[in-house]
Amino acid sequence: MLAIDGWFLIEDGLTYLLGSRCGDCGTIAFPPRPSCGHPRCAGTIPAPVRLSRTGTLWSYTNACYPPPPPFAAAEPYRPVTLAAVELDGLVVLGQVRDLTVADLRVGMTLELTSGPLADGPLIWMWGAPR
Amino acid sequence: MSVVVLGVGLHPWGKWGKPFQEYGVAAARAALADAGLHWTDIQYVVGADTIRNGYPGFVAGATFAQALGWNGASIASCYAACASGAQALDIARARILAGLCDVALVVGADTTPKGFFKPVGGDRPDDRDWLRFRLLGATNPAYFALYARRRMARYGDTPADFAAVKVKNARAGARNPNARYRAEVTTEQVLTSPMVADPLRLMDICATSDGGAAVVLCSPAYARRHGGRQVTIAAVSTVTPTFPQADLDLPMIASETVPQPEHGFKTALIRAAYEEAGIGPEELSLAEVYDLSTALELDWCEDAGLCPRGEAAQLLRSGETALGGKRPVNPSGGLASFGEAIPAQALAQLCELTWQLRGTAGARQVDSARIGLAATQGLFGHGSAIIART
Ligand SMILES: [Zn+2]
């Protein structure tokens, strides 16, 4: 089960973020938008688009204390690592799988993967390139 | 024409655990006394809302008016996240400038829960603020930490630079009877406090506080009839971002473009205020900026044009932004010393500007202060910049 519908998909073991692309002005957005975000664009309904599966690490941090609900914190709690990754002209946040802040450097390449939230549903995650 | 700040008042910040309206009423009475007015003189009331205190918080203007005793004044309530107080001020200002009233009272107050701010209750998968917690566990400090890490990677800032902001602001806060934290701290204490969101530690991040602030605004003609040393509002900016928004703003899960601070939202907010006031950063005597984290104060210094991009840590080390420096930043002690009481905070900043510009800021007085800037950034595209002058 995916933690949210329509934002990402997993196909043949590969995870893809699903953005939206405006047919009129080409604006790409994530999460997908129901209408174009460009203020001068009358905008047809943007079409879904798969975003790049790799990107450059823009910044990162971790949550040393369990975030509050509705986040489901694992017990015992292990710090969640968060990455902000630059791809397709955007910066997209995600949890980081199998790496800690000590393993990360701004500018390194990360690849999209997925993993479970502590209560089960799958979410996109950033990981080391395969 | 510029509206006049006739009176200001605060209820001290803390974790008092009382209903928010008590802080608002105390601040309102202090501001009225400062203005030399009675509550029944007030023609218009604007309340800055709080979203964590039930229905009375959503209709804060009416809540404060009822608590002070119905006086028949016209009323408004508004919410704009951290900019709520500034937006409430701007509503009152517009009413006065339009000639619809002569004197208005603006009040904001909050009672905050313990710990991280979390989304208001219920399952709301269409709410980005709910989703960033649910999907990512991205708390407010996580965003502050992402910005802080960028400074380290881009400009070579260090955790010791961030700690030095706290040391500076704690020294100012120690001289402010309204601040919640009044002890000076050392760099060592900051650098050994628990890590919260790498690279930010507990003492790098502002707390959530209870507090209340109020301002009496009036027309110049009304002010002339009531005397007193005049502080005027030269600008209030509440502009929204422009597409594509060049920030990774709370509570966004992705940006609209690769963030560029020189085109960022905080920069735009302050630039609009400079334009309205017809001044530039070199004319500021002081600035109160929204130091949700230590590192964020450095971003603000650059956004306000107090130094070139990437040089805020150097500016800090020069002492220019400390009390006694050329252009003190957060002479009140800032959020580092107050903690955040959301709807009251922008008004508290204006209270500090007013005391500084009147020359009544006591042990933290900035020498011959003439023009002050106060800036906030909230979430969901709300922010503010206010310029006050003598
Ligand atoms: Zn478009």
Side-chain angles (χ1 to χ4, degrees), chain B residues 329-346:
Chain B
V329 172
N330 286 326
S332 70
L335 296 179
S337 303
F338 274 71
E340 189 185 19
I342 294 174
Q345 210 69 42

PDB file of all heavy atoms in Angstrom, chain B residues 329-346:
ATOM      1  N   VAL B 329      20.848  43.998  15.478  1.00  0.00           N
ATOM      2  CA  VAL B 329      19.788  43.116  14.993  1.00  0.00           C
ATOM      3  C   VAL B 329      19.245  42.362  16.201  1.00  0.00           C
ATOM      4  O   VAL B 329      20.004  41.781  16.975  1.00  0.00           O
ATOM      5  CB  VAL B 329      20.318  42.152  13.917  1.00  0.00           C
ATOM      6  CG1 VAL B 329      19.269  41.108  13.546  1.00  0.00           C
ATOM      7  CG2 VAL B 329      20.751  42.929  12.677  1.00  0.00           C
ATOM      8  N   ASN B 330      17.941  42.397  16.358  1.00  0.00           N
ATOM      9  CA  ASN B 330      17.269  41.805  17.500  1.00  0.00           C
ATOM     10  C   ASN B 330      17.760  42.350  18.851  1.00  0.00           C
ATOM     11  O   ASN B 330      18.114  41.583  19.752  1.00  0.00           O
ATOM     12  CB  ASN B 330      17.349  40.273  17.455  1.00  0.00           C
ATOM     13  CG  ASN B 330      16.416  39.694  16.409  1.00  0.00           C
ATOM     14  OD1 ASN B 330      15.328  40.234  16.168  1.00  0.00           O
ATOM     15  ND2 ASN B 330      16.829  38.626  15.774  1.00  0.00           N
ATOM     16  N   PRO B 331      17.741  43.679  19.013  1.00  0.00           N
ATOM     17  CA  PRO B 331      18.113  44.247  20.317  1.00  0.00           C
ATOM     18  C   PRO B 331      17.155  43.840  21.435  1.00  0.00           C
ATOM     19  O   PRO B 331      17.511  43.920  22.613  1.00  0.00           O
ATOM     20  CB  PRO B 331      18.066  45.767  20.066  1.00  0.00           C
ATOM     21  CG  PRO B 331      17.174  45.943  18.881  1.00  0.00           C
ATOM     22  CD  PRO B 331      17.409  44.726  18.022  1.00  0.00           C
ATOM     23  N   SER B 332      15.961  43.369  21.078  1.00  0.00           N
ATOM     24  CA  SER B 332      15.020  42.888  22.109  1.00  0.00           C
ATOM     25  C   SER B 332      15.484  41.565  22.709  1.00  0.00           C
ATOM     26  O   SER B 332      15.007  41.160  23.763  1.00  0.00           O
ATOM     27  CB  SER B 332      13.635  42.656  21.496  1.00  0.00           C
ATOM     28  OG  SER B 332      13.674  41.528  20.627  1.00  0.00           O
ATOM     29  N   GLY B 333      16.401  40.895  22.014  1.00  0.00           N
ATOM     30  CA  GLY B 333      16.759  39.521  22.363  1.00  0.00           C
ATOM     31  C   GLY B 333      16.197  38.532  21.351  1.00  0.00           C
ATOM     32  O   GLY B 333      16.579  37.370  21.316  1.00  0.00           O
ATOM     33  N   GLY B 334      15.239  39.013  20.539  1.00  0.00           N
ATOM     34  CA  GLY B 334      14.701  38.192  19.449  1.00  0.00           C
ATOM     35  C   GLY B 334      13.941  36.976  19.927  1.00  0.00           C
ATOM     36  O   GLY B 334      13.670  36.810  21.121  1.00  0.00           O
ATOM     37  N   LEU B 335      13.599  36.138  18.986  1.00  0.00           N
ATOM     38  CA  LEU B 335      12.886  34.904  19.325  1.00  0.00           C
ATOM     39  C   LEU B 335      13.753  34.011  20.192  1.00  0.00           C
ATOM     40  O   LEU B 335      13.250  33.208  20.980  1.00  0.00           O
ATOM     41  CB  LEU B 335      12.469  34.159  18.055  1.00  0.00           C
ATOM     42  CG  LEU B 335      11.461  34.873  17.153  1.00  0.00           C
ATOM     43  CD1 LEU B 335      11.152  34.033  15.926  1.00  0.00           C
ATOM     44  CD2 LEU B 335      10.175  35.175  17.899  1.00  0.00           C
ATOM     45  N   ALA B 336      15.055  34.145  20.071  1.00  0.00           N
ATOM     46  CA  ALA B 336      15.980  33.367  20.906  1.00  0.00           C
ATOM     47  C   ALA B 336      15.698  33.604  22.387  1.00  0.00           C
ATOM     48  O   ALA B 336      15.824  32.697  23.202  1.00  0.00           O
ATOM     49  CB  ALA B 336      17.430  33.745  20.580  1.00  0.00           C
ATOM     50  N   SER B 337      15.299  34.826  22.733  1.00  0.00           N
ATOM     51  CA  SER B 337      15.050  35.159  24.133  1.00  0.00           C
ATOM     52  C   SER B 337      13.565  35.156  24.482  1.00  0.00           C
ATOM     53  O   SER B 337      13.209  35.055  25.658  1.00  0.00           O
ATOM     54  CB  SER B 337      15.623  36.540  24.455  1.00  0.00           C
ATOM     55  OG  SER B 337      16.997  36.588  24.157  1.00  0.00           O
ATOM     56  N   PHE B 338      12.726  35.303  23.476  1.00  0.00           N
ATOM     57  CA  PHE B 338      11.279  35.350  23.719  1.00  0.00           C
ATOM     58  C   PHE B 338      10.618  33.983  23.534  1.00  0.00           C
ATOM     59  O   PHE B 338       9.715  33.616  24.270  1.00  0.00           O
ATOM     60  CB  PHE B 338      10.608  36.359  22.766  1.00  0.00           C
ATOM     61  CG  PHE B 338      10.622  37.771  23.285  1.00  0.00           C
ATOM     62  CD1 PHE B 338      11.806  38.491  23.335  1.00  0.00           C
ATOM     63  CD2 PHE B 338       9.465  38.374  23.738  1.00  0.00           C
ATOM     64  CE1 PHE B 338      11.822  39.791  23.826  1.00  0.00           C
ATOM     65  CE2 PHE B 338       9.472  39.672  24.233  1.00  0.00           C
ATOM     66  CZ  PHE B 338      10.646  40.383  24.272  1.00  0.00           C
ATOM     67  N   GLY B 339      11.073  33.203  22.530  1.00  0.00           N
ATOM     68  CA  GLY B 339      10.254  32.093  22.061  1.00  0.00           C
ATOM     69  C   GLY B 339       9.141  32.701  21.227  1.00  0.00           C
ATOM     70  O   GLY B 339       8.944  33.919  21.232  1.00  0.00           O
ATOM     71  N   GLU B 340       8.417  31.844  20.526  1.00  0.00           N
ATOM     72  CA  GLU B 340       7.441  32.346  19.572  1.00  0.00           C
ATOM     73  C   GLU B 340       6.023  32.248  20.131  1.00  0.00           C
ATOM     74  O   GLU B 340       5.573  31.185  20.515  1.00  0.00           O
ATOM     75  CB  GLU B 340       7.543  31.515  18.283  1.00  0.00           C
ATOM     76  CG  GLU B 340       6.733  32.070  17.137  1.00  0.00           C
ATOM     77  CD  GLU B 340       6.760  31.154  15.916  1.00  0.00           C
ATOM     78  OE1 GLU B 340       7.088  29.967  16.078  1.00  0.00           O
ATOM     79  OE2 GLU B 340       6.428  31.645  14.829  1.00  0.00           O
ATOM     80  N   ALA B 341       5.342  33.393  20.176  1.00  0.00           N
ATOM     81  CA  ALA B 341       3.907  33.437  20.493  1.00  0.00           C
ATOM     82  C   ALA B 341       3.254  33.997  19.234  1.00  0.00           C
ATOM     83  O   ALA B 341       3.115  35.212  19.073  1.00  0.00           O
ATOM     84  CB  ALA B 341       3.633  34.317  21.703  1.00  0.00           C
ATOM     85  N   ILE B 342       2.894  33.120  18.318  1.00  0.00           N
ATOM     86  CA  ILE B 342       2.682  33.456  16.904  1.00  0.00           C
ATOM     87  C   ILE B 342       1.925  34.773  16.651  1.00  0.00           C
ATOM     88  O   ILE B 342       2.472  35.680  16.047  1.00  0.00           O
ATOM     89  CB  ILE B 342       2.027  32.280  16.140  1.00  0.00           C
ATOM     90  CG1 ILE B 342       3.012  31.101  16.100  1.00  0.00           C
ATOM     91  CG2 ILE B 342       1.621  32.678  14.727  1.00  0.00           C
ATOM     92  CD1 ILE B 342       2.439  29.828  15.510  1.00  0.00           C
ATOM     93  N   PRO B 343       0.651  34.893  17.110  1.00  0.00           N
ATOM     94  CA  PRO B 343      -0.088  36.098  16.699  1.00  0.00           C
ATOM     95  C   PRO B 343       0.387  37.364  17.405  1.00  0.00           C
ATOM     96  O   PRO B 343       0.012  38.474  17.010  1.00  0.00           O
ATOM     97  CB  PRO B 343      -1.537  35.775  17.084  1.00  0.00           C
ATOM     98  CG  PRO B 343      -1.442  34.682  18.077  1.00  0.00           C
ATOM     99  CD  PRO B 343      -0.147  33.982  17.922  1.00  0.00           C
ATOM    100  N   ALA B 344       1.201  37.217  18.420  1.00  0.00           N
ATOM    101  CA  ALA B 344       1.673  38.376  19.179  1.00  0.00           C
ATOM    102  C   ALA B 344       3.047  38.840  18.717  1.00  0.00           C
ATOM    103  O   ALA B 344       3.464  39.969  19.014  1.00  0.00           O
ATOM    104  CB  ALA B 344       1.735  38.030  20.670  1.00  0.00           C
ATOM    105  N   GLN B 345       3.763  37.984  17.959  1.00  0.00           N
ATOM    106  CA  GLN B 345       5.188  38.223  17.778  1.00  0.00           C
ATOM    107  C   GLN B 345       5.496  39.456  16.927  1.00  0.00           C
ATOM    108  O   GLN B 345       6.376  40.245  17.265  1.00  0.00           O
ATOM    109  CB  GLN B 345       5.846  36.976  17.175  1.00  0.00           C
ATOM    110  CG  GLN B 345       7.292  36.813  17.609  1.00  0.00           C
ATOM    111  CD  GLN B 345       7.413  36.472  19.084  1.00  0.00           C
ATOM    112  OE1 GLN B 345       6.653  35.664  19.596  1.00  0.00           O
ATOM    113  NE2 GLN B 345       8.343  37.109  19.776  1.00  0.00           N
ATOM    114  N   ALA B 346       4.770  39.625  15.819  1.00  0.00           N
ATOM    115  CA  ALA B 346       5.046  40.779  14.956  1.00  0.00           C
ATOM    116  C   ALA B 346       4.712  42.074  15.692  1.00  0.00           C
ATOM    117  O   ALA B 346       5.367  43.101  15.496  1.00  0.00           O
ATOM    118  CB  ALA B 346       4.244  40.680  13.659  1.00  0.00           C
TER     119      ALA B 346
END
